Structure formats: C-alpha cells, structure tokens
Amino acid sequence: MWVGCAGTKATGGQHVTTIQHSRAGRRQAQRRIRPRRSPAVPLIALAWAGAAAVVGLWWRNTPAVLPDAGDRLIHAGRITGLLAGYVIALVVVQMARVPALERRVGSDRVSRWHATSGRYALSLTSAHVVLTVYGYALQGRTGVAEQTVSLVTEYPEMGKAAIGTVLLLVVGLVSAGAVRHRVRYEVWYYLHLLTYLAVYLAFWHQLATGAEFLADQAARAVWYVLYGAVGALLVWYRVLMPLRLNLVHRMRVDQVVPEAPGVVSVLVRGRRLHRLGAEAGQFFRWRFLTKGLRWTAHPYSLSAPPRPDLLRITVKAVGGHSAALARLRPGTRVWAEGPYGSLTAARRSRGKVLLIAGGAGITPLRTLFETLPGAGGDLTLLYRARTADDLALREELEAIADDRGAHLLYAVNGPDGRRPEISAGMLRRILPDIARHDVYVCGPQGLAEESYAALREAGVPDRRIHHESFAL
C-alpha cells in the first residue's frame, strides 16, 4: 500500500527539540560539503603495481633455466610466498580503518576488499607451503611429512612461520561464509584479531629465509618500510586515534527513547562533538561500557545531524546487542570510533535526489533528508516498512518534509499482507524524471537488490545509485 505525505509538524517532546536545534547544523553542512572523486580506481591500480613489483623482484633473482622439477616447485613456492607477504600487508591496511578509505571509498567496499584480499592471502600462503615442501622433498628424495618436520625444526624462524600459518588458516576458516553465520559475532571478531599475531610471526621468516631479501639489502629495506608503514597505520587509527577521541569527547548515554516496536533512539551526550567532523549519512562503531555490552562494538548510523553536545542513533532490535540497547541507563559510558562511511552528500552529482529506505536503513537517510543541500521539491524519500507502526521517526520525517517542501512516501504492506512492489514502472509513476536523479538506498539486502534492479531498468546510471551495506 502506497501512501503519500506532505508532512506535518511534530508537536511536543524530545523529537521537536532535536529537529529545531539541528537546522543550524543543516545550513553548516550545506556550506561545508563539496563533491569529491572516489580514490578506488587509483588505489586498485596502485595495489596491482605493487604486486607487479614483487613479481619483478622474484624474476630478477630467478635463473632463466631450472634444471629439475624440484627447483621449479621451489621457485614457484618463492613467488607465491612473496605475493602472500605482500597481500597480507594489504589485508592489514584494510583492517586499519584509515579515514581516507573508510570515508571516501566506503566501509562496505573496503570490507569486500579485505575479504577478497584475505582469500588471496590464504590461497597464496597454502600454495607457498605445499610447493616449497614438495619441491624440497623431491630434491632431497624424502617423504613430505619428513621434509615438513625438517623445514620447521632446522630452518631459521620456520617454527614461528608454522604457527603463523596455522593461525591464518583458523581465521580463514571462521570467516568462511558457511562457518561465519554459525559463529557469534564476538567469537568471530576476537578470533579475527589473531591475524595480527600471525602476520608478526610470519614476517621474520620472510626476511630470514627469503632469497630476495638475503641477497638484496634494498629489497630488505623496502619490505621493512612496507610493514613498518602498515604497522604505524594500524596503531595510529585502531589504537591512538580512538583513545584520543574518547578521552577528549567523554561520551555518555543521555537518554533512551522508544520510537516504534523494537526500535529505540539512544541519545549520547559529550563535549565538542562537532569537532568529530561527522556528516549526515555516516556511522560510528559503538561500545557501551556496561555489563554484556562492553566487549563488543557494533556499527550504528547517526539518525540526526550531529550537535556540538549530542549525537543520536536509532536502532532496531535484530540481535542480542541491538536489543540490549533498550535497557541502557543514562550515564553509561560510551566508547566510539569514527566517523566512518561514504553514504554522504558528497556522492551527489545531480540536483534531484531520491532516498529509498527500509527497516533500520531509515537512520542515515533521515539525516540526509534533513541536510541535503538544494530545494526540498527536488528531494523525495520513499520509506518501506511492514506496517504503519514500524515507521520509525515518522513524526520527524513529516516535520522535515513540511519544513523543506520535500516529498515523503510510505510503502507499507496492505491489510492482506501484500507487499508493495518497487519496480521500474512504479518509480516512473512517482518520479517521471527518475533517470535524472541521484538515488541513495539503505536497508535490508533484499530491498537493496530489488531497488537496484528497478532503478537500472528505469534508466538510472549505476554511478548515481549509492548504497552502503553494514552487514557484519
């Protein structure tokens, strides 16, 4: 069932206060935000250039003629080992939450890069181990098991490398799709941290036994610089910056407000929060320092433009962590990291914008609905929910639509439970010039896929469909 709404002013209560105090923030955001290009393509090109340099290093130290199968396997093991070491460095960079990647490329894309790089790293590491052991076994005319024991016990740093390899395989196993969905997030997260220990243990093996580094001091220095820079980024952005953020801003839970069945807003108060540089559409990783929540951090988007003393998130109970937020008490200390995400006004390239929200995806789009620069008549929000009671922040959305002259549409299931279809024809009916819009989509995976297909069929170019997934 489709419902159109021009919006009415909300009356009374905390929500009106939040809207009124955030209008100055909207004007400030309109002045500050400028379009910018994504650095994804040059970064990918740079990564491949680094891989080519590693292959060149191996080629320079490899004889033109390899006399027997054992030699050929050993040299194949060398190149897979070198590439594994290089890709592992990229894996760690992608775990470091570098703002240039998280905010401009997008957290979801960086996560996909991390997952892909991790699979490459595991495959190359496995190939390196198998090829090297089998090559030496052929040369020494020994069994594979005997040769494995000999390599681990007799070669320098090989014991550490063996432990590191096992740890990498454990991390890869718990991250595989079939296993990941059966493991609690907290278990997966803390096992994932073993990657750092595995990298540390394997690093020294590369320098101690790698022919390229033993014979070439320049290559050795470059490897030190590569891993030193990666380690510095990791410590700076995963440890020091979050520590500074939380010591300076000293955030605590101010209030928990029910919004809809199973949905609450958590208001977080702190000092000089405008200096965080957060933009509408971004999110933080939140850790609430209370029983049952202090050991886990989850990403939740801002659901209102940031104020100098107040941030707000709106969370739907879909798991143990999100459900527990309804029981937070005022005064609970908050540890936050961010802001992250690229689902911001900076992606916009056209004057007209359509926002498509579903479920908890309304939270970042609600902030964009209020703050996107331009005339309200060129702004439309389409909000998908099962029932009218599930429309979180409804009064606020209607007040914003009324204030800006924007268009607000609800798509809720009919009395018979029939689900409204988001199709190309429907989009053309509500927006005849849909092909000239930028479109932001945020919601469950099914909604994102349905909307993307309909938008492409309706003529919206791929580059103007903006989506960011926060699935863990």
Side-chain angles (χ1 to χ4, degrees):
M1 181 169 62
W2 294 92
V3 179
C5 180
T8 58
K9 290 285 187 182
T11 56
Q14 176 66 42
H15 302 312
V16 172
T17 302
T18 301
I19 293 172
Q20 291 173 343
H21 280 265
S22 62
R23 286 174 184 164
R26 183 177 72 207
R27 289 192 294 269
Q28 181 181 3
Q30 289 174 356
R31 292 193 298 267
R32 183 177 68 246
I33 294 171
R34 296 290 185 274
R36 59 195 176 205
R37 294 180 181 274
S38 169
V41 172
L43 285 174
I44 293 172
L46 181 62
W48 280 107
V54 170
V55 173
L57 176 65
W58 168 81
W59 184 264
R60 190 177 65 177
N61 290 279
T62 300
V65 178
L66 299 173
D68 57 49
D71 277 335
R72 290 191 286 272
L73 288 174
I74 290 171
H75 283 282
R78 281 176 46 224
I79 183 55
T80 52
L82 283 170
L83 287 172
Y86 171 71
V87 174
I88 286 171
L90 297 183
V91 168
V92 177
V93 167
Q94 293 153 6
M95 295 174 70
R97 297 177 186 166
V98 179
L101 297 177
E102 295 278 338
R103 299 187 192 183
R104 299 188 65 189
V105 175
S107 296
D108 58 339
R109 180 180 285 184
V110 174
S111 295
R112 290 194 295 271
W113 286 359
H114 172 68
T116 300
S117 299
R119 287 190 286 270
Y120 280 130
L122 286 174
S123 299
L124 289 165
T125 300
S126 301
H128 167 66
V129 171
V130 171
L131 291 168
T132 303
V133 170
Y134 193 43
Y136 277 112
L138 287 180
Q139 278 195 341
R141 298 185 180 182
T142 61
V144 171
E146 181 183 350
Q147 186 61 56
T148 301
V149 172
S150 175
L151 287 172
V152 171
T153 57
E154 296 177 11
Y155 280 68
E157 303 291 342
M158 279 299 300
K160 294 179 182 177
I163 296 173
T165 300
V166 171
L167 292 178
L168 280 177
L169 292 174
V170 169
V171 172
L173 177 64
V174 298
S175 299
V179 179
R180 170 67 188 92
H181 297 299
R182 299 173 182 268
V183 177
R184 290 183 60 194
Y185 169 76
E186 293 79 10
V187 174
W188 169 83
Y189 175 79
Y190 286 108
L191 285 175
H192 214 67
L193 296 181
L194 291 174
T195 303
Y196 302 132
L197 177 59
V199 172
Y200 174 79
L201 293 172
F203 173 74
W204 304 108
H205 148 67
Q206 298 173 62
L207 297 177
T209 61
E212 288 74 18
F213 305 118
L214 293 173
D216 190 336
Q217 291 301 313
R220 189 180 184 91
V222 169
W223 215 246
Y224 269 120
V225 170
L226 172 64
Y227 272 81
V230 167
L233 289 172
L234 186 69
V235 171
W236 183 256
Y237 290 115
R238 290 297 297 269
V239 180
L240 298 180
M241 288 298 289
L243 182 63
R244 177 184 178 276
L245 182 155
N246 289 280
L247 288 176
V248 169
H249 299 290
R250 298 182 180 275
M251 288 179 276
R252 292 181 181 271
V253 173
D254 181 71
Q255 190 178 359
V256 178
V257 180
E259 301 286 3
V263 180
V264 297
S265 285
V266 180
L267 282 72
V268 177
R269 196 168 292 277
R271 303 187 305 180
R272 301 189 296 274
L273 298 179
H274 58 290
R275 295 187 179 180
L276 290 169
E279 298 179 19
Q282 291 190 308
F283 68 95
F284 288 76
R285 287 182 170 88
W286 302 90
R287 188 187 303 271
F288 298 93
L289 304 185
T290 187
K291 184 178 179 181
L293 296 176
R294 69 176 64 248
W295 297 111
T296 58
H298 283 242
Y300 298 120
S301 298
L302 297 176
S303 63
R307 285 169 34 183
D309 63 337
L310 196 69
L311 300 176
R312 190 185 73 174
I313 58 175
T314 301
V315 180
K316 183 176 183 179
V318 294
H321 188 278
S322 53
L325 300 192
R327 301 189 294 273
L328 285 173
R329 295 182 178 180
T332 300
R333 292 179 60 192
V334 178
W335 183 277
E337 297 178 38
Y340 301 123
S342 64
L343 196 70
T344 67
R347 286 193 176 187
R348 179 183 182 181
S349 61
R350 295 298 177 100
K352 298 185 177 184
V353 177
L354 168 64
L355 310 172
I356 302 178
I362 189 59
T363 55
L365 298 194
R366 178 253 182 261
T367 61
L368 288 171
F369 193 50
E370 181 176 353
T371 61
L372 274 172
D378 293 331
L379 179 63
T380 303
L381 171 61
L382 171 59
Y383 186 2
R384 171 80 179 89
R386 287 191 178 90
T387 69
D389 290 337
D390 292 324
L391 294 168
L393 308 175
R394 182 172 184 173
E395 289 185 353
E396 292 186 22
L397 294 170
E398 292 175 358
I400 293 168
D402 184 60
D403 179 52
R404 302 197 67 183
H407 306 293
L408 177 59
L409 296 172
Y410 300 128
V412 298
N413 293 359
D416 58 354
R418 184 172 299 178
R419 182 176 181 273
E421 181 186 16
I422 297 179
S423 64
M426 178 277 295
L427 292 172
R428 290 194 189 99
R429 283 195 300 273
I430 63 172
L431 294 171
D433 58 348
I434 180 65
R436 291 189 288 166
H437 281 63
D438 271 290
V439 184
Y440 292 75
V441 181
C442 194
Q445 187 65 25
L447 173 73
E449 292 175 355
E450 177 187 19
S451 300
Y452 179 82
L455 289 164
R456 294 294 288 122
E457 185 179 345
V460 182
D462 182 77
R463 67 182 180 278
R464 286 198 264 114
I465 302 174
H466 315 300
H467 171 255
E468 195 165 29
S469 170
F470 308 115
L472 297 172

